[in-house]
Amino acid sequence: MQNRINIELSLSAKEYIQNAKQIVIVPHAGPDGDAIGSSLALMRYLKKQGKQVKAICPNAYPEFLTWLHGEDELDVFENNEEACTSYIKESDLIFILDHNSFKRSGDMGKLLEKHSATKVMIDHHPMPEDIADITISDTAMCSTCEMIYEFIDAIGGNNQIDKDIAECIYTGIITDTGGLSYNSSNERIYQIVGDLMEKGIDKAKVHDKIYDNYSASRMKLLGYCLNEGMELLAEYETAIIHLTKETLAAFEYQDGDTEGFVNYPLSIKGINISVIFMEKDDTVKISFRSKGDIPINQMARDFFNGGGHINAAGGRTFESMPKAIEKLKKELPAFYKSL
Ligand code: 5GP
Ligand code: MN
């Protein structure tokens, strides 16, 4: 089977890499397994090519991903703004991974936007903004990690993908597809996974680190979400979960603890839309999931300042949580009718 990435654009990016003196790789803020996995995989590959390169996260990454990287492999912009800023300013090539708008990388995005360095985007979200010199964007890909595998392969580096790089890539593929359950029907993905297995990934270890690594309080928080925290609107095939700051504090919430929770209600017969509202600082963060051809990203985009994929989207609002939930309930009937 054929490599699915745009070969021509990949080869142009390879030229940029060859000419670059210093490279920065940026995942989106609130990074998930795909954002971290793709950034680390590309960084390790470029290091093997002898390049000066750093991966810098706009903000903290979840605890369950810390095993993926070494102590000083991943910088966090928010934790060390001064040093990260000067490194970014000295860099001449920037990779924008797993996002397609500077709005998704916070204050770091503002810095990158002004920066004259050459920019390469590798991403699988809809509607990429015109912010890079090379935009490799493909919504048919299950994950940015799949794209990074294809990218390295396309530029002749497949034999450089070692076990560590392969585990990063595998992490993004499984975290963005719910363990290869959704958005993963192209056979090429399984060829890639097969190749990653050949490269020696410890599949059982990766699954254990990602899925069987809950703190007791995280598991209890999940229990709360599915019990007291969940409201079913059967008429609209929708489940809503809400989490106040107080609830999160009571369950000793850590960044990333609610990752994946929004998917659970979709296992209920007749529920095809799931939404989680979560109070965070002075905003309410909202995650949306849907099944089939329900374009939940439209709801995120039109009413909650967000966007995303057809079946997985996010947004935020500065309104109170009750107001935000009220808004969803108000918009839901028309949205549902339009399906
Ligand atoms: P999550 O619910 O896991 O935070 O996000 C799911 C997907 O929604 C992400 O992969 C991303 O595509 C999209 N997403 C989340 N938050 C935002 C946002 O604020 N703006 C946009 N455009 N997309 C978002
Ligand atoms: Mn992704």
Side-chain angles (χ1 to χ4, degrees):
M1 277 199 74
Q2 294 254 317
N3 186 322
R4 294 204 289 157
I5 209 158
N6 185 314
I7 307 280
E8 211 173 303
L9 290 178
S10 300
L11 292 174
S12 303
K14 180 184 186 179
E15 250 174 70
Y16 282 147
I17 292 170
Q18 282 164 339
N19 296 328
K21 292 200 179 61
Q22 186 165 303
I23 305 172
V24 186
I25 299 170
V26 198
H28 55 80
D32 55 9
D34 189 33
I36 298 285
S38 58
S39 298
L40 287 172
L42 182 62
M43 183 187 74
R44 287 180 181 163
Y45 169 74
L46 293 176
K47 275 196 175 158
K48 283 177 95 166
Q49 311 311 300
K51 303 306 295 190
Q52 170 65 41
V53 53
K54 263 187 200 286
I56 306 182
C57 270
N59 61 0
Y61 43 84
E63 180 23 59
F64 77 94
L65 293 171
T66 48
W67 62 277
L68 265 180
H69 58 85
E71 206 42 20
D72 48 5
E73 262 197 314
L74 199 54
D75 291 61
V76 175
F77 185 80
E78 256 183 26
N79 296 352
N80 202 350
E81 221 167 288
E82 217 170 293
C84 289
T85 299
S86 64
Y87 184 88
I88 291 168
K89 284 189 171 161
E90 286 160 13
S91 301
D92 52 357
L93 177 59
I94 297 167
F95 276 91
I96 300 162
L97 298 191
D98 202 34
H99 63 297
N100 57 25
S101 159
F102 286 127
K103 283 189 221 95
R104 296 211 64 215
S105 48
D107 285 346
M108 188 174 167
K110 289 180 193 147
L111 180 68
L112 298 174
E113 192 165 16
K114 282 187 274 173
H115 198 329
S116 61
T118 306
K119 294 170 189 123
V120 176
M121 180 199 296
I122 302 181
D123 178 59
H124 68 134
H125 294 97
M127 300 201 290
E129 290 184 9
D130 185 16
I131 54 173
D133 299 84
I134 296 179
T135 298
I136 306 178
S137 165
D138 188 350
T139 56
M141 297 279 189
C142 76
S143 56
T144 302
C145 276
E146 179 186 4
M147 298 180 79
I148 290 295
Y149 174 92
E150 298 286 48
F151 175 72
I152 295 174
D153 184 65
I155 63 174
N158 194 317
N159 62 358
Q160 296 288 302
I161 300 178
D162 55 27
K163 176 174 182 273
D164 282 347
I165 296 174
E167 287 188 348
C168 292
I169 293 173
Y170 183 65
T171 295
I173 291 178
I174 62 170
T175 53
D176 258 26
T177 58
L180 293 170
S181 72
Y182 47 80
N183 198 21
S184 48
S185 295
N186 190 290
E187 60 262 47
R188 172 71 180 165
I189 299 165
Y190 299 88
Q191 251 185 1
I192 293 172
V193 169
D195 192 35
L196 298 176
M197 296 285 291
E198 253 179 58
K199 291 178 190 302
I201 58 168
D202 185 342
K203 190 169 165 289
K205 178 193 81 180
V206 176
H207 280 255
D208 186 64
K209 296 279 189 196
I210 291 172
Y211 297 114
D212 301 334
N213 207 6
Y214 278 48
S215 62
S217 57
R218 183 182 180 196
M219 186 58 85
K220 289 179 182 177
L221 178 62
L222 173 61
Y224 173 89
C225 285
L226 302 180
N227 194 13
E228 295 107 288
M230 185 168 71
E231 182 181 353
L232 295 177
L233 308 172
E235 194 183 345
Y236 305 116
E237 301 173 15
T238 298
I240 298 175
I241 294 174
H242 60 273
L243 285 169
T244 62
K245 270 185 189 169
E246 290 71 31
T247 303
L248 292 169
F251 288 95
E252 295 160 28
Y253 172 79
Q254 302 285 316
D255 276 334
D257 272 359
T258 53
E259 187 79 34
F261 285 11
V262 65
N263 294 304
Y264 282 86
L266 294 178
S267 298
I268 302 170
K269 193 163 40 172
I271 294 295
N272 291 315
I273 296 172
S274 173
V275 189
I276 184 164
F277 291 84
M278 218 171 116
E279 287 180 346
K280 246 190 174 177
D281 304 321
D282 53 350
T283 65
V284 176
K285 160 93 182 98
I286 308 146
S287 281
F288 300 87
R289 295 294 184 271
S290 67
K291 280 188 176 174
D293 50 12
I294 302 175
I296 204 63
N297 51 352
Q298 213 170 292
M299 175 69 90
R301 202 162 50 231
D302 291 350
F303 303 109
F304 297 98
N305 310 303
H309 312 272
I310 176 166
N311 293 140
R316 66 196 60 251
T317 171
F318 288 94
E319 289 178 328
S320 69
M321 194 152 73
K323 280 246 162 70
I325 293 175
E326 205 177 291
K327 188 174 192 173
L328 177 78
K329 287 182 176 170
K330 180 168 161 272
E331 301 302 341
L332 205 48
F335 177 77
Y336 186 74
K337 211 172 155 199
S338 74
L339 300 176

